[in-house]
Amino acid sequence: MYSILQLIERSADYLNSKGVESPRLNAELLLANILDCNRMQLYLKYDQPLKDLEISKYREYISRRGKREPLQYIIGKVEFYGLNFIVNKNVLIPRQETEILIDTILEYVKSQSEIKILDIGTGSGNIAIALAKNLSDAEIDSIDISKEAIEIAKQNAKINSVDDKINFIVNDFKNFNNIENQYDIIVSNPPYINLKEYNLLEKELLEFEPKISLTDFNDGLSFYNLISQKANLLLKKNGIVFYEVGIYQSEQVKKIFEQNNFGKINIRKDYLGIDRVVFGELN
């Protein structure tokens, strides 16, 4: 019978042979999930043998990860902005760099009380929920074309006790034009990968995460154009649009803002020094 340490070492070697990044960390996190403990606790009982059922489940998890299925989908959850979210193949996995988008919005609205926000392409609901947890008087509408994604987002809002502050709507934003001058803020982390670059993505993204959440099936700028064009119908006077953008897109998005009567345009970098957030105020 294998001990915890033996299982981790063997699994890390296997994952490494399959090209998984940070193989030992993945092996530890998957086992910690099965044993319902944290990584540190694994090593406090490193010589403890595991039950047959635990070993069987761990082998299944390691096999799935070896096929490059994202760890977050295997364990069914992820942490974002200090909050817990359930995730599955119907939603994009929240990324750490998106926390910069939340920080930027919170810095902007810190002096305001009541505020109405439109979150476009909500996915797991991570952006809307993180904002709702940190803005006591915010009212948020979150839309997504995917009914399955909206169901996940609703569950996450309930888990994080903000389901009364967010209105989730199944809607294709291309047809979302029946609300005029209602929002103080529009926020979006849209599909921004150029279709020509999509097939170059790592296997975890290419084979497991929803394609519709990654690419606009065009040049990667479609939603920035569409949202910026519709902003004059959706925003209140001096309303602001906040975008997360892909690498090398910030200047293009800035030009889109300028072409659609936006001023006070700002760009903010992420932890790696990459332009990640672009925001501007509607003139």
Side-chain angles (χ1 to χ4, degrees):
M1 186 160 299
Y2 294 118
S3 69
I4 285 176
L5 186 58
Q6 287 172 322
L7 277 173
I8 289 173
E9 289 174 345
R10 285 171 177 262
S11 300
D13 288 342
Y14 173 77
L15 293 179
N16 185 55
S17 73
K18 296 296 182 180
V20 173
E21 188 177 342
S22 304
R24 190 178 183 98
L25 175 61
N26 276 256
E28 292 169 346
L29 290 172
L30 289 171
L31 188 55
N33 179 258
I34 290 170
L35 300 181
D36 194 25
C37 66
N38 60 42
R39 289 171 60 213
M40 179 64 72
Q41 289 170 328
L42 285 177
Y43 289 98
L44 294 176
K45 48 186 177 182
Y46 68 91
D47 58 349
Q48 173 183 311
L50 271 69
K51 299 173 185 174
D52 289 343
L53 193 61
E54 292 168 337
I55 292 174
S56 177
K57 188 172 184 182
Y58 188 52
R59 282 176 174 158
E60 177 206 338
Y61 278 14
I62 292 295
S63 175
R64 289 168 64 183
R65 188 68 186 103
K67 294 172 184 173
R68 306 292 290 276
E69 181 177 351
L71 180 143
Q72 295 89 339
Y73 287 161
I74 297 171
I75 65 176
K77 62 184 180 181
V78 66
E79 183 179 313
F80 176 82
Y81 217 75
L83 305 169
N84 292 316
F85 291 83
I86 57 173
V87 290
N88 63 23
K89 63 180 181 179
N90 294 307
V91 297
L92 197 69
I93 297 167
R95 262 68 175 184
Q96 184 182 23
E97 57 264 29
T98 303
E99 295 185 353
I100 300 293
L101 183 62
I102 307 299
D103 287 340
T104 305
I105 296 171
L106 293 179
E107 287 170 14
Y108 168 74
V109 301
K110 62 185 175 184
S111 60
Q112 300 188 40
S113 52
E114 296 180 5
I115 192 162
K116 187 149 187 184
I117 299 171
L118 174 63
D119 169 34
I120 299 170
T122 196
S124 65
N126 60 307
I127 292 173
I129 291 165
L131 290 173
K133 287 294 284 188
N134 288 278
L135 297 170
S136 58
D137 295 322
E139 182 182 343
I140 304 173
D141 287 339
S142 288
I143 70 172
D144 200 290
I145 195 172
S146 167
K147 184 171 105 174
E148 292 78 13
I150 289 292
E151 287 305 312
I152 292 292
K154 286 180 178 178
Q155 291 179 53
N156 282 325
K158 191 166 186 179
I159 289 168
N160 289 288
S161 304
V162 292
D163 45 314
D164 60 332
K165 296 175 67 174
I166 307 173
N167 178 33
F168 291 105
I169 307 162
V170 179
N171 197 294
D172 182 349
F173 182 70
K174 293 172 186 172
N175 303 317
F176 192 76
N177 55 12
N178 59 338
I179 300 177
E180 294 189 0
N181 304 325
Q182 187 169 357
Y183 299 99
D184 301 285
I185 286 174
I186 294 174
V187 57
S188 186
N189 176 18
Y192 56 63
I193 295 172
N194 188 314
L195 185 59
K196 293 178 181 177
E197 300 170 356
Y198 178 75
N199 289 328
L200 303 176
L201 295 174
E202 59 190 22
K203 195 171 181 180
E204 282 86 345
L205 288 164
L206 191 59
E207 295 189 10
F208 293 97
E209 298 205 46
K211 188 173 183 178
I212 196 172
S213 301
L214 292 166
T215 178
D216 62 354
F217 299 88
N218 203 309
D219 63 357
L221 300 171
S222 301
F223 283 94
Y224 301 120
N225 276 300
L226 182 60
I227 296 168
S228 300
Q229 289 164 9
K230 284 194 172 190
N232 66 321
L233 296 175
L234 299 169
L235 283 177
K236 296 177 183 176
K237 185 179 168 109
N238 302 125
I240 296 191
V241 174
F242 293 84
Y243 292 129
E244 178 174 326
V245 301
I247 191 168
Y248 307 129
Q249 287 183 322
S250 60
E251 288 302 321
Q252 293 169 298
V253 173
K254 183 180 178 183
K255 287 179 183 175
I256 291 170
F257 269 144
E258 291 168 347
Q259 291 164 0
N260 287 279
N261 201 31
F262 280 82
K264 298 182 181 177
I265 303 165
N266 291 275
I267 298 172
R268 185 165 179 183
K269 297 182 183 298
D270 66 14
Y271 309 109
L272 298 175
I274 297 168
D275 290 352
R276 185 59 62 187
V277 175
V278 183
F279 60 103
E281 181 177 311
L282 186 66
N283 289 326

